[in-house]
Amino acid sequence: MPVVALIGAQWGDEGKGGLVDLLASRARLVIRYGGGNNAGHTVVNPLGSFKLHLVPSGIFDPNTVNVIGPGVVIDPEALLNELRDLQARGISTERLFISERAHVIMPYHVQLDQLQEESRGAGKIGTTGRGIGPAYADKMSRTGIRMADLLHEETLLNRLRTVLEEKNRLLTRLYNTKPLSLHDTYLRYLDLGHQLAEHITDVHPIIYRAIEKDLPVLLEGAQGGLLDIDHGTYPYVTSSPPGAAGACQGAGIGPTRIHSVLGVLKAYSTRVGEGPFPTELEGPEADVLRQIGMPWAEVGTTTGRMRRVGWFDAVMARYVVQVNGIDTVAITKLDVLDTLPTIKICVGYRMVETVLEYPPATTALLSAVEPVYEELPGWQTPTSGMRQFYDLPNEAQAYVARICHLVGARLGIISVGPEREQTIEVAEIF
Ligand code: GDP
Ligand code: IMO
Ligand code: MG
């Protein structure tokens, strides 16, 4: 049985949560492998409408085991709130296991994320302000605190004593804010650790046994390939590798064990936060894509910010497909394009006298490229009730086929609405 990595293939918010919810009933194990509560995954299923930030979207299936892997950064308070909300709505959270190796987002990470953003002024990244960048920076600097540390009084106190000294110097001398109390922080995080203790464990045996027994495993990506720390639109990226390599590293699964990489692509483009966006639109066409007033409007799930919108960018998507070895794509939100008379796809970037096939590395060049568009006829027919590929209007079939051809991957799933059953499965994933 396969191990499938489901990854965002644009700037996040491609509809990953909904697809994991659909596929979870066929998987035995769902693993969130990276990012933190910067993610916002929407799930609409017969149990209701949910917004998940840290809990894997497989939590709604009673037979699926859910793991938060070592590559995730965890704000324990945010996770506890999420678990309480789910429990209050009758969802069992018993089958959730949290890696003891995952790093903790501490209060100084959140503070520093926000203070650094303020100090960047016009050059701000537009982070979610959840402490993600500073937490990953400390992990790499080997000054991080891990979930296991919250369960050991002495380790936590010793780690905190060293780390807080440095953080408090930063907070007071560089940013002129108040220092954090060692005593209060220690007691608070010890308590948070206790509250999560029943879930914190070594997740490796759970993952390895599932793979050994050939059970279907789904790796749930957060963010998207264009927010990747190495391959994204740096510096306007997140601080982790959200792609296929990040899935291996963040879950602890070797690349030889991954059978398929399913890339999720929205039928158009969106981006929340700052940074270059070659196919960005303004005006009435943007309004159609934003779908303001609808439950699936392009408004950030985590921060409530309005998402920037634009045409599908095949130059960016092809690059993400190639660097992540995406073999199959899911195309979501096709229904959003239902009313448009014509639809554009960016097939190249004009740069002076040449047309680039791949995105240039720098913000300056990416902001200067002029998208080369191909224009396809729209279908002007509602698709949200359709369940078979051949029920779709010819123009919609052609649009989807063109995207697959341009990015170089086979079609797996089309989604035509936010609900679980509003999907057209073209190829078998599990
Ligand atoms: P994620 O971060 O990739 O899980 O995506 P988000 O949940 O942040 O954003 C996707 C939004 O689109 C949510 O409001 C979903 O309910 C909605 N959505 C997902 N797929 C579809 C679809 O095919 N059609 C429509 N209209 N909405 C969708
Ligand atoms: P999901 O999983 C969309 C963006 C932020 C910002 C940049 C850096 O829902 O697809 P960070 O807080 O990570 O340091 O912010 O990355 N970003 C996302 N955008 N969807 C997400 O997650 C995102 N996670 C981070 O808006 O531009
Ligand atoms: Mg999201």
Side-chain angles (χ1 to χ4, degrees):
M1 277 302 234
V3 178
V4 176
L6 180 149
I7 68 169
Q10 291 155 314
W11 281 288
D13 302 327
E14 299 90 349
K16 299 175 290 293
L19 292 175
V20 172
D21 172 62
L22 169 80
L23 297 171
S25 61
R26 293 172 228 166
R28 287 291 291 279
L29 185 59
V30 175
I31 309 169
R32 251 297 292 273
Y33 58 80
N37 59 328
N38 48 349
H41 296 180
T42 314
V43 171
V44 186
N45 64 25
L47 300 170
S49 176
F50 303 86
K51 298 202 181 297
L52 300 173
H53 301 283
L54 278 162
V55 175
S57 304
I59 199 74
F60 304 100
D61 188 89
N63 299 312
T64 307
V65 170
N66 290 273
V67 165
I68 298 181
V72 177
V73 286
I74 300 174
D75 181 329
E77 206 141 42
L79 178 56
L80 279 163
N81 285 336
E82 207 172 314
L83 293 176
R84 273 187 219 112
D85 286 351
L86 285 168
Q87 286 153 6
R89 294 177 68 183
I91 313 297
S92 165
T93 57
E94 270 172 28
R95 292 155 291 105
L96 175 71
F97 298 94
I98 303 167
S99 169
E100 57 189 2
R101 291 181 164 85
H103 279 247
V104 182
I105 297 183
M106 299 296 291
Y108 44 83
H109 292 138
V110 179
Q111 260 180 292
L112 288 170
D113 188 3
Q114 294 167 4
L115 291 164
Q116 283 165 359
E117 274 288 87
E118 268 170 45
S119 70
R120 285 181 189 119
K124 72 174 196 262
I125 293 166
T127 72
T128 58
R130 300 295 192 269
I132 306 296
Y136 276 116
D138 275 2
K139 169 175 166 169
M140 292 306 180
S141 307
R142 292 154 296 179
T143 50
I145 289 175
R146 304 194 295 172
M147 293 305 284
D149 301 336
L150 302 185
L151 304 181
H152 295 96
E153 295 177 13
E154 213 183 309
T155 317
L156 180 62
L157 188 60
N158 287 338
R159 294 289 285 166
L160 260 181
R161 187 175 283 125
T162 322
V163 175
L164 266 190
E165 206 183 299
E166 185 208 325
K167 298 300 173 195
N168 278 341
R169 251 185 281 140
L170 263 180
L171 288 172
T172 55
R173 297 195 199 166
L174 185 63
Y175 292 110
N176 292 318
T177 51
K178 281 193 208 135
L180 287 160
S181 139
L182 173 63
H183 178 261
D184 294 354
T185 312
Y186 166 69
L187 288 181
R188 184 172 154 213
Y189 279 77
L190 199 60
D191 176 52
L192 291 169
H194 279 304
Q195 291 187 59
L196 286 168
E198 59 180 315
H199 299 282
I200 302 172
T201 186
D202 180 5
V203 297
H204 171 69
I206 302 173
I207 297 174
Y208 193 71
R209 254 179 247 136
I211 291 177
E212 218 178 17
K213 286 190 189 156
D214 236 7
L215 300 174
V217 176
L218 187 59
L219 293 151
E220 175 177 357
Q223 291 77 52
L226 297 173
L227 291 172
D228 187 295
I229 187 75
D230 291 306
H231 307 293
T233 48
Y234 193 90
Y236 300 96
V237 292
T238 190
S239 300
S240 64
C248 290
Q249 177 72 8
I253 297 180
T256 50
R257 300 305 180 109
I258 308 266
H259 296 87
S260 174
V261 182
L262 176 65
V264 187
L265 289 167
K266 207 178 273 193
Y268 48 98
S269 303
T270 63
R271 162 156 223 181
V272 53
E274 307 302 316
F277 186 173
T279 64
E280 186 167 13
L281 286 172
E282 309 279 354
E285 277 165 329
D287 291 340
V288 174
L289 299 182
R290 273 202 190 98
Q291 302 268 297
I292 296 304
M294 307 306 268
W296 54 84
E298 293 298 353
V299 176
T301 314
T302 297
T303 55
R305 289 177 290 178
M306 190 86 89
R307 292 178 188 147
R308 298 154 68 194
V309 296
W311 296 120
F312 185 86
D313 188 336
V315 178
M316 289 284 187
R318 177 170 48 220
Y319 175 64
V320 173
V321 164
Q322 291 179 4
V323 295
N324 289 287
I326 291 172
D327 55 333
T328 309
V329 289
I331 297 179
T332 60
K333 300 191 99 163
L334 188 70
D335 55 297
V336 171
L337 307 180
D338 281 351
T339 58
L340 290 167
T342 55
I343 305 165
K344 287 182 187 167
I345 299 181
C346 170
V347 293
Y349 289 161
R350 197 179 306 284
M351 186 91 238
V352 197
E353 300 210 326
T354 51
V355 175
L356 306 178
E357 246 183 282
Y358 292 110
T362 65
T363 306
L365 287 177
L366 261 178
S367 307
V369 298
E370 189 196 323
V372 178
Y373 286 115
E374 200 172 275
E375 199 157 336
L376 277 75
W379 43 93
Q380 298 188 287
T381 310
T383 57
S384 56
M386 297 179 181
R387 297 292 175 270
Q388 301 289 330
F389 183 75
Y390 292 105
D391 290 345
L392 288 171
N394 289 339
E395 295 83 354
Q397 291 183 24
Y399 181 71
V400 165
R402 185 72 187 134
I403 288 180
C404 291
H405 178 78
L406 285 167
V407 306
R410 71 166 183 164
L411 180 63
I413 301 177
I414 300 171
S415 154
V416 289
E419 293 179 25
R420 191 189 273 176
E421 71 274 15
Q422 288 180 300
T423 37
I424 299 173
E425 290 186 62
V426 180
E428 200 172 305
I429 307 299
F430 280 117

